Amino acid sequence: RGLFLRNEACEAFKRMHEAALKDGIVLTALSATRSFNHQASIWNRKWNRPQSMGMAPLERAKHILLFSSMPGSSRHHWGTDVDIHSLDPEAFESGTGAAILGWLRTHGEEHGFVEVYTNDSNRTGYQPEAWHWSYAPLARPYLHALNEAQQAGDLPDFLGFEGAELADSLHIVRDYINGINATL
């Protein structure tokens, strides 16, 4: 309730949720579609928190980018991605979280969902996020269109939030938007 996905992704998530329940697994969606403004509020709050104030702008941005996307670069803007169970990496190391992650890794792709930010040493960008799953049948063509726009010089500049001017020097498109599970 209160979370939104594209219709196709939402229906697939509901089917996956029901399949997981049959196996005794409860998939709780914590976050789904985020508007630019919502992502900007997350980013700006982290940018301006007291513990970040002593950092140089580039280091501050890199610190935020461990787990949060720059506004305009988040897969959550697409309506294809969902955060499941917990936003704490340790929550997936044992118990219920480990069971959920194991189920998702075994069955998620059957429902079209793929873990985005895996623990792959060849992957760039964000830290692993066991909670972040993408509905691949829609997300793959969206990523392809974004990359085509960038190659054609048609991708809009990153604007409208603290530190936006750092996007190019941080290689947001190359290292973060495309720093994903190779199956996506």
Side-chain angles (χ1 to χ4, degrees), residues 98-128:
I100 289 169
L101 184 57
W103 191 93
L104 285 166
R105 285 179 174 165
T106 301
H107 301 287
E109 207 158 353
E110 295 166 18
H111 302 278
F113 285 89
V114 176
E115 185 177 3
V116 180
Y117 305 114
T118 57
N119 192 14
D120 176 355
S121 62
N122 295 319
R123 194 181 58 73
T124 60
Y126 308 104
Q127 295 295 305

PDB file of all heavy atoms in Angstrom, residues 98-128:
ATOM      1  N   ALA A  98      18.125 -13.844   5.371  1.00  0.00           N
ATOM      2  CA  ALA A  98      18.877 -14.804   4.556  1.00  0.00           C
ATOM      3  C   ALA A  98      17.923 -15.736   3.803  1.00  0.00           C
ATOM      4  O   ALA A  98      18.174 -16.073   2.638  1.00  0.00           O
ATOM      5  CB  ALA A  98      19.842 -15.602   5.425  1.00  0.00           C
ATOM      6  N   ALA A  99      16.842 -16.128   4.470  1.00  0.00           N
ATOM      7  CA  ALA A  99      15.853 -16.985   3.809  1.00  0.00           C
ATOM      8  C   ALA A  99      15.180 -16.243   2.653  1.00  0.00           C
ATOM      9  O   ALA A  99      14.976 -16.807   1.569  1.00  0.00           O
ATOM     10  CB  ALA A  99      14.814 -17.462   4.820  1.00  0.00           C
ATOM     11  N   ILE A 100      14.833 -14.985   2.868  1.00  0.00           N
ATOM     12  CA  ILE A 100      14.223 -14.183   1.810  1.00  0.00           C
ATOM     13  C   ILE A 100      15.187 -14.028   0.633  1.00  0.00           C
ATOM     14  O   ILE A 100      14.810 -14.234  -0.527  1.00  0.00           O
ATOM     15  CB  ILE A 100      13.791 -12.810   2.365  1.00  0.00           C
ATOM     16  CG1 ILE A 100      12.588 -12.988   3.291  1.00  0.00           C
ATOM     17  CG2 ILE A 100      13.493 -11.816   1.241  1.00  0.00           C
ATOM     18  CD1 ILE A 100      12.239 -11.755   4.103  1.00  0.00           C
ATOM     19  N   LEU A 101      16.425 -13.676   0.929  1.00  0.00           N
ATOM     20  CA  LEU A 101      17.417 -13.493  -0.126  1.00  0.00           C
ATOM     21  C   LEU A 101      17.645 -14.793  -0.893  1.00  0.00           C
ATOM     22  O   LEU A 101      17.722 -14.796  -2.124  1.00  0.00           O
ATOM     23  CB  LEU A 101      18.730 -12.965   0.452  1.00  0.00           C
ATOM     24  CG  LEU A 101      19.828 -12.648  -0.549  1.00  0.00           C
ATOM     25  CD1 LEU A 101      19.360 -11.629  -1.592  1.00  0.00           C
ATOM     26  CD2 LEU A 101      21.071 -12.143   0.173  1.00  0.00           C
ATOM     27  N   GLY A 102      17.738 -15.886  -0.188  1.00  0.00           N
ATOM     28  CA  GLY A 102      17.913 -17.188  -0.850  1.00  0.00           C
ATOM     29  C   GLY A 102      16.743 -17.498  -1.771  1.00  0.00           C
ATOM     30  O   GLY A 102      16.939 -17.964  -2.901  1.00  0.00           O
ATOM     31  N   TRP A 103      15.525 -17.226  -1.298  1.00  0.00           N
ATOM     32  CA  TRP A 103      14.347 -17.478  -2.126  1.00  0.00           C
ATOM     33  C   TRP A 103      14.378 -16.586  -3.361  1.00  0.00           C
ATOM     34  O   TRP A 103      14.137 -17.044  -4.483  1.00  0.00           O
ATOM     35  CB  TRP A 103      13.063 -17.237  -1.326  1.00  0.00           C
ATOM     36  CG  TRP A 103      11.851 -17.745  -2.048  1.00  0.00           C
ATOM     37  CD1 TRP A 103      11.277 -18.972  -1.921  1.00  0.00           C
ATOM     38  CD2 TRP A 103      11.099 -17.043  -3.055  1.00  0.00           C
ATOM     39  NE1 TRP A 103      10.215 -19.093  -2.785  1.00  0.00           N
ATOM     40  CE2 TRP A 103      10.074 -17.908  -3.490  1.00  0.00           C
ATOM     41  CE3 TRP A 103      11.184 -15.792  -3.625  1.00  0.00           C
ATOM     42  CZ2 TRP A 103       9.145 -17.560  -4.461  1.00  0.00           C
ATOM     43  CZ3 TRP A 103      10.264 -15.429  -4.596  1.00  0.00           C
ATOM     44  CH2 TRP A 103       9.256 -16.303  -5.007  1.00  0.00           C
ATOM     45  N   LEU A 104      14.670 -15.297  -3.168  1.00  0.00           N
ATOM     46  CA  LEU A 104      14.715 -14.368  -4.308  1.00  0.00           C
ATOM     47  C   LEU A 104      15.777 -14.776  -5.320  1.00  0.00           C
ATOM     48  O   LEU A 104      15.543 -14.723  -6.534  1.00  0.00           O
ATOM     49  CB  LEU A 104      14.971 -12.942  -3.816  1.00  0.00           C
ATOM     50  CG  LEU A 104      13.788 -12.238  -3.171  1.00  0.00           C
ATOM     51  CD1 LEU A 104      14.255 -10.988  -2.436  1.00  0.00           C
ATOM     52  CD2 LEU A 104      12.728 -11.904  -4.212  1.00  0.00           C
ATOM     53  N   ARG A 105      16.935 -15.166  -4.843  1.00  0.00           N
ATOM     54  CA  ARG A 105      18.008 -15.563  -5.769  1.00  0.00           C
ATOM     55  C   ARG A 105      17.663 -16.850  -6.516  1.00  0.00           C
ATOM     56  O   ARG A 105      18.115 -17.058  -7.641  1.00  0.00           O
ATOM     57  CB  ARG A 105      19.325 -15.702  -5.009  1.00  0.00           C
ATOM     58  CG  ARG A 105      19.913 -14.345  -4.651  1.00  0.00           C
ATOM     59  CD  ARG A 105      21.205 -14.461  -3.885  1.00  0.00           C
ATOM     60  NE  ARG A 105      21.811 -13.146  -3.693  1.00  0.00           N
ATOM     61  CZ  ARG A 105      22.782 -12.902  -2.825  1.00  0.00           C
ATOM     62  NH1 ARG A 105      23.281 -13.898  -2.078  1.00  0.00           N
ATOM     63  NH2 ARG A 105      23.279 -11.677  -2.714  1.00  0.00           N
ATOM     64  N   THR A 106      16.876 -17.699  -5.913  1.00  0.00           N
ATOM     65  CA  THR A 106      16.461 -18.938  -6.563  1.00  0.00           C
ATOM     66  C   THR A 106      15.265 -18.730  -7.485  1.00  0.00           C
ATOM     67  O   THR A 106      15.214 -19.305  -8.579  1.00  0.00           O
ATOM     68  CB  THR A 106      16.117 -20.009  -5.505  1.00  0.00           C
ATOM     69  OG1 THR A 106      17.275 -20.232  -4.696  1.00  0.00           O
ATOM     70  CG2 THR A 106      15.673 -21.313  -6.145  1.00  0.00           C
ATOM     71  N   HIS A 107      14.297 -17.901  -7.068  1.00  0.00           N
ATOM     72  CA  HIS A 107      13.018 -17.803  -7.776  1.00  0.00           C
ATOM     73  C   HIS A 107      12.700 -16.441  -8.385  1.00  0.00           C
ATOM     74  O   HIS A 107      11.754 -16.331  -9.164  1.00  0.00           O
ATOM     75  CB  HIS A 107      11.875 -18.184  -6.821  1.00  0.00           C
ATOM     76  CG  HIS A 107      11.988 -19.554  -6.270  1.00  0.00           C
ATOM     77  ND1 HIS A 107      11.741 -20.680  -7.023  1.00  0.00           N
ATOM     78  CD2 HIS A 107      12.345 -19.988  -5.039  1.00  0.00           C
ATOM     79  CE1 HIS A 107      11.930 -21.756  -6.272  1.00  0.00           C
ATOM     80  NE2 HIS A 107      12.297 -21.367  -5.069  1.00  0.00           N
ATOM     81  N   GLY A 108      13.443 -15.402  -8.025  1.00  0.00           N
ATOM     82  CA  GLY A 108      13.109 -14.062  -8.502  1.00  0.00           C
ATOM     83  C   GLY A 108      13.041 -13.962 -10.015  1.00  0.00           C
ATOM     84  O   GLY A 108      12.099 -13.371 -10.575  1.00  0.00           O
ATOM     85  N   GLU A 109      14.011 -14.559 -10.693  1.00  0.00           N
ATOM     86  CA  GLU A 109      14.059 -14.442 -12.157  1.00  0.00           C
ATOM     87  C   GLU A 109      12.882 -15.150 -12.821  1.00  0.00           C
ATOM     88  O   GLU A 109      12.460 -14.757 -13.908  1.00  0.00           O
ATOM     89  CB  GLU A 109      15.402 -14.953 -12.685  1.00  0.00           C
ATOM     90  CG  GLU A 109      15.763 -14.287 -13.988  1.00  0.00           C
ATOM     91  CD  GLU A 109      17.241 -14.336 -14.292  1.00  0.00           C
ATOM     92  OE1 GLU A 109      18.048 -14.773 -13.455  1.00  0.00           O
ATOM     93  OE2 GLU A 109      17.585 -13.929 -15.413  1.00  0.00           O
ATOM     94  N   GLU A 110      12.336 -16.164 -12.172  1.00  0.00           N
ATOM     95  CA  GLU A 110      11.142 -16.836 -12.703  1.00  0.00           C
ATOM     96  C   GLU A 110       9.978 -15.847 -12.836  1.00  0.00           C
ATOM     97  O   GLU A 110       9.076 -16.042 -13.646  1.00  0.00           O
ATOM     98  CB  GLU A 110      10.699 -17.971 -11.764  1.00  0.00           C
ATOM     99  CG  GLU A 110      11.668 -19.098 -11.630  1.00  0.00           C
ATOM    100  CD  GLU A 110      11.338 -20.014 -10.454  1.00  0.00           C
ATOM    101  OE1 GLU A 110      10.187 -19.984  -9.948  1.00  0.00           O
ATOM    102  OE2 GLU A 110      12.243 -20.754 -10.038  1.00  0.00           O
ATOM    103  N   HIS A 111      10.017 -14.795 -12.035  1.00  0.00           N
ATOM    104  CA  HIS A 111       8.959 -13.784 -12.015  1.00  0.00           C
ATOM    105  C   HIS A 111       9.416 -12.482 -12.684  1.00  0.00           C
ATOM    106  O   HIS A 111       8.710 -11.482 -12.629  1.00  0.00           O
ATOM    107  CB  HIS A 111       8.522 -13.535 -10.574  1.00  0.00           C
ATOM    108  CG  HIS A 111       8.032 -14.778  -9.911  1.00  0.00           C
ATOM    109  ND1 HIS A 111       6.752 -15.241 -10.076  1.00  0.00           N
ATOM    110  CD2 HIS A 111       8.672 -15.679  -9.124  1.00  0.00           C
ATOM    111  CE1 HIS A 111       6.611 -16.380  -9.414  1.00  0.00           C
ATOM    112  NE2 HIS A 111       7.761 -16.666  -8.828  1.00  0.00           N
ATOM    113  N   GLY A 112      10.616 -12.495 -13.260  1.00  0.00           N
ATOM    114  CA  GLY A 112      11.135 -11.340 -13.980  1.00  0.00           C
ATOM    115  C   GLY A 112      12.011 -10.426 -13.149  1.00  0.00           C
ATOM    116  O   GLY A 112      12.506  -9.422 -13.647  1.00  0.00           O
ATOM    117  N   PHE A 113      12.240 -10.747 -11.875  1.00  0.00           N
ATOM    118  CA  PHE A 113      13.007  -9.865 -10.992  1.00  0.00           C
ATOM    119  C   PHE A 113      14.454 -10.337 -10.849  1.00  0.00           C
ATOM    120  O   PHE A 113      14.719 -11.514 -10.651  1.00  0.00           O
ATOM    121  CB  PHE A 113      12.340  -9.767  -9.616  1.00  0.00           C
ATOM    122  CG  PHE A 113      11.119  -8.903  -9.659  1.00  0.00           C
ATOM    123  CD1 PHE A 113       9.884  -9.443  -9.953  1.00  0.00           C
ATOM    124  CD2 PHE A 113      11.208  -7.537  -9.424  1.00  0.00           C
ATOM    125  CE1 PHE A 113       8.749  -8.643 -10.018  1.00  0.00           C
ATOM    126  CE2 PHE A 113      10.083  -6.733  -9.490  1.00  0.00           C
ATOM    127  CZ  PHE A 113       8.850  -7.285  -9.787  1.00  0.00           C
ATOM    128  N   VAL A 114      15.361  -9.363 -10.947  1.00  0.00           N
ATOM    129  CA  VAL A 114      16.793  -9.632 -10.883  1.00  0.00           C
ATOM    130  C   VAL A 114      17.419  -8.719  -9.839  1.00  0.00           C
ATOM    131  O   VAL A 114      17.080  -7.536  -9.754  1.00  0.00           O
ATOM    132  CB  VAL A 114      17.449  -9.390 -12.270  1.00  0.00           C
ATOM    133  CG1 VAL A 114      18.951  -9.557 -12.221  1.00  0.00           C
ATOM    134  CG2 VAL A 114      16.842 -10.306 -13.325  1.00  0.00           C
ATOM    135  N   GLU A 115      18.318  -9.278  -9.061  1.00  0.00           N
ATOM    136  CA  GLU A 115      19.083  -8.495  -8.077  1.00  0.00           C
ATOM    137  C   GLU A 115      19.986  -7.531  -8.844  1.00  0.00           C
ATOM    138  O   GLU A 115      20.741  -7.944  -9.723  1.00  0.00           O
ATOM    139  CB  GLU A 115      19.909  -9.454  -7.214  1.00  0.00           C
ATOM    140  CG  GLU A 115      20.644  -8.807  -6.088  1.00  0.00           C
ATOM    141  CD  GLU A 115      21.391  -9.830  -5.219  1.00  0.00           C
ATOM    142  OE1 GLU A 115      21.380 -11.045  -5.546  1.00  0.00           O
ATOM    143  OE2 GLU A 115      21.986  -9.404  -4.228  1.00  0.00           O
ATOM    144  N   VAL A 116      19.924  -6.259  -8.514  1.00  0.00           N
ATOM    145  CA  VAL A 116      20.604  -5.240  -9.307  1.00  0.00           C
ATOM    146  C   VAL A 116      22.061  -5.054  -8.894  1.00  0.00           C
ATOM    147  O   VAL A 116      22.961  -5.095  -9.726  1.00  0.00           O
ATOM    148  CB  VAL A 116      19.860  -3.887  -9.212  1.00  0.00           C
ATOM    149  CG1 VAL A 116      20.568  -2.822 -10.034  1.00  0.00           C
ATOM    150  CG2 VAL A 116      18.414  -4.039  -9.656  1.00  0.00           C
ATOM    151  N   TYR A 117      22.290  -4.828  -7.609  1.00  0.00           N
ATOM    152  CA  TYR A 117      23.629  -4.469  -7.120  1.00  0.00           C
ATOM    153  C   TYR A 117      24.216  -5.644  -6.351  1.00  0.00           C
ATOM    154  O   TYR A 117      24.117  -5.722  -5.137  1.00  0.00           O
ATOM    155  CB  TYR A 117      23.562  -3.192  -6.282  1.00  0.00           C
ATOM    156  CG  TYR A 117      22.925  -2.055  -7.036  1.00  0.00           C
ATOM    157  CD1 TYR A 117      21.706  -1.524  -6.644  1.00  0.00           C
ATOM    158  CD2 TYR A 117      23.531  -1.537  -8.180  1.00  0.00           C
ATOM    159  CE1 TYR A 117      21.111  -0.497  -7.357  1.00  0.00           C
ATOM    160  CE2 TYR A 117      22.937  -0.512  -8.896  1.00  0.00           C
ATOM    161  CZ  TYR A 117      21.728  -0.002  -8.482  1.00  0.00           C
ATOM    162  OH  TYR A 117      21.134   1.006  -9.198  1.00  0.00           O
ATOM    163  N   THR A 118      24.822  -6.555  -7.103  1.00  0.00           N
ATOM    164  CA  THR A 118      25.356  -7.797  -6.556  1.00  0.00           C
ATOM    165  C   THR A 118      26.755  -7.589  -5.974  1.00  0.00           C
ATOM    166  O   THR A 118      27.399  -6.570  -6.211  1.00  0.00           O
ATOM    167  CB  THR A 118      25.426  -8.855  -7.669  1.00  0.00           C
ATOM    168  OG1 THR A 118      26.236  -8.323  -8.724  1.00  0.00           O
ATOM    169  CG2 THR A 118      24.043  -9.204  -8.194  1.00  0.00           C
ATOM    170  N   ASN A 119      27.214  -8.598  -5.281  1.00  0.00           N
ATOM    171  CA  ASN A 119      28.553  -8.589  -4.710  1.00  0.00           C
ATOM    172  C   ASN A 119      29.529  -9.152  -5.744  1.00  0.00           C
ATOM    173  O   ASN A 119      30.109 -10.210  -5.565  1.00  0.00           O
ATOM    174  CB  ASN A 119      28.566  -9.407  -3.411  1.00  0.00           C
ATOM    175  CG  ASN A 119      29.830  -9.201  -2.634  1.00  0.00           C
ATOM    176  OD1 ASN A 119      30.598  -8.277  -2.903  1.00  0.00           O
ATOM    177  ND2 ASN A 119      30.075 -10.062  -1.670  1.00  0.00           N
ATOM    178  N   ASP A 120      29.684  -8.431  -6.847  1.00  0.00           N
ATOM    179  CA  ASP A 120      30.540  -8.839  -7.956  1.00  0.00           C
ATOM    180  C   ASP A 120      31.705  -7.862  -8.034  1.00  0.00           C
ATOM    181  O   ASP A 120      31.506  -6.660  -8.223  1.00  0.00           O
ATOM    182  CB  ASP A 120      29.716  -8.811  -9.247  1.00  0.00           C
ATOM    183  CG  ASP A 120      30.526  -9.128 -10.495  1.00  0.00           C
ATOM    184  OD1 ASP A 120      31.763  -9.279 -10.411  1.00  0.00           O
ATOM    185  OD2 ASP A 120      29.915  -9.214 -11.570  1.00  0.00           O
ATOM    186  N   SER A 121      32.919  -8.357  -7.912  1.00  0.00           N
ATOM    187  CA  SER A 121      34.100  -7.481  -7.893  1.00  0.00           C
ATOM    188  C   SER A 121      34.315  -6.759  -9.221  1.00  0.00           C
ATOM    189  O   SER A 121      35.036  -5.766  -9.270  1.00  0.00           O
ATOM    190  CB  SER A 121      35.347  -8.282  -7.522  1.00  0.00           C
ATOM    191  OG  SER A 121      35.590  -9.282  -8.486  1.00  0.00           O
ATOM    192  N   ASN A 122      33.708  -7.211 -10.304  1.00  0.00           N
ATOM    193  CA  ASN A 122      33.842  -6.548 -11.601  1.00  0.00           C
ATOM    194  C   ASN A 122      32.814  -5.428 -11.796  1.00  0.00           C
ATOM    195  O   ASN A 122      32.878  -4.700 -12.775  1.00  0.00           O
ATOM    196  CB  ASN A 122      33.692  -7.563 -12.744  1.00  0.00           C
ATOM    197  CG  ASN A 122      34.818  -8.570 -12.739  1.00  0.00           C
ATOM    198  OD1 ASN A 122      35.970  -8.214 -12.517  1.00  0.00           O
ATOM    199  ND2 ASN A 122      34.485  -9.820 -12.954  1.00  0.00           N
ATOM    200  N   ARG A 123      31.872  -5.310 -10.873  1.00  0.00           N
ATOM    201  CA  ARG A 123      30.816  -4.322 -10.977  1.00  0.00           C
ATOM    202  C   ARG A 123      31.266  -3.012 -10.350  1.00  0.00           C
ATOM    203  O   ARG A 123      31.911  -3.005  -9.319  1.00  0.00           O
ATOM    204  CB  ARG A 123      29.565  -4.857 -10.252  1.00  0.00           C
ATOM    205  CG  ARG A 123      28.297  -4.107 -10.553  1.00  0.00           C
ATOM    206  CD  ARG A 123      27.124  -4.678  -9.780  1.00  0.00           C
ATOM    207  NE  ARG A 123      27.316  -4.671  -8.335  1.00  0.00           N
ATOM    208  CZ  ARG A 123      27.283  -3.575  -7.573  1.00  0.00           C
ATOM    209  NH1 ARG A 123      27.073  -2.392  -8.094  1.00  0.00           N
ATOM    210  NH2 ARG A 123      27.469  -3.664  -6.271  1.00  0.00           N
ATOM    211  N   THR A 124      30.933  -1.894 -10.977  1.00  0.00           N
ATOM    212  CA  THR A 124      31.277  -0.575 -10.452  1.00  0.00           C
ATOM    213  C   THR A 124      30.076   0.011  -9.721  1.00  0.00           C
ATOM    214  O   THR A 124      28.991  -0.563  -9.728  1.00  0.00           O
ATOM    215  CB  THR A 124      31.673   0.379 -11.599  1.00  0.00           C
ATOM    216  OG1 THR A 124      30.563   0.504 -12.491  1.00  0.00           O
ATOM    217  CG2 THR A 124      32.903  -0.116 -12.330  1.00  0.00           C
ATOM    218  N   GLY A 125      30.275   1.156  -9.113  1.00  0.00           N
ATOM    219  CA  GLY A 125      29.142   1.897  -8.554  1.00  0.00           C
ATOM    220  C   GLY A 125      28.805   1.555  -7.126  1.00  0.00           C
ATOM    221  O   GLY A 125      29.682   1.423  -6.276  1.00  0.00           O
ATOM    222  N   TYR A 126      27.520   1.426  -6.885  1.00  0.00           N
ATOM    223  CA  TYR A 126      26.984   1.269  -5.533  1.00  0.00           C
ATOM    224  C   TYR A 126      27.468  -0.002  -4.853  1.00  0.00           C
ATOM    225  O   TYR A 126      27.811  -0.980  -5.514  1.00  0.00           O
ATOM    226  CB  TYR A 126      25.451   1.243  -5.572  1.00  0.00           C
ATOM    227  CG  TYR A 126      24.871   2.412  -6.310  1.00  0.00           C
ATOM    228  CD1 TYR A 126      24.370   2.257  -7.595  1.00  0.00           C
ATOM    229  CD2 TYR A 126      24.858   3.685  -5.743  1.00  0.00           C
ATOM    230  CE1 TYR A 126      23.852   3.337  -8.292  1.00  0.00           C
ATOM    231  CE2 TYR A 126      24.343   4.764  -6.429  1.00  0.00           C
ATOM    232  CZ  TYR A 126      23.846   4.582  -7.711  1.00  0.00           C
ATOM    233  OH  TYR A 126      23.344   5.647  -8.398  1.00  0.00           O
ATOM    234  N   GLN A 127      27.434   0.041  -3.534  1.00  0.00           N
ATOM    235  CA  GLN A 127      27.713  -1.150  -2.736  1.00  0.00           C
ATOM    236  C   GLN A 127      26.630  -2.190  -3.025  1.00  0.00           C
ATOM    237  O   GLN A 127      25.549  -1.851  -3.500  1.00  0.00           O
ATOM    238  CB  GLN A 127      27.702  -0.793  -1.248  1.00  0.00           C
ATOM    239  CG  GLN A 127      28.803   0.145  -0.836  1.00  0.00           C
ATOM    240  CD  GLN A 127      30.170  -0.499  -1.001  1.00  0.00           C
ATOM    241  OE1 GLN A 127      30.437  -1.565  -0.467  1.00  0.00           O
ATOM    242  NE2 GLN A 127      31.032   0.147  -1.767  1.00  0.00           N
ATOM    243  N   PRO A 128      26.885  -3.463  -2.728  1.00  0.00           N
ATOM    244  CA  PRO A 128      25.841  -4.470  -2.915  1.00  0.00           C
ATOM    245  C   PRO A 128      24.581  -4.097  -2.121  1.00  0.00           C
ATOM    246  O   PRO A 128      24.668  -3.579  -1.007  1.00  0.00           O
ATOM    247  CB  PRO A 128      26.477  -5.740  -2.357  1.00  0.00           C
ATOM    248  CG  PRO A 128      27.946  -5.520  -2.504  1.00  0.00           C
ATOM    249  CD  PRO A 128      28.148  -4.048  -2.263  1.00  0.00           C
TER     250      PRO A 128
END
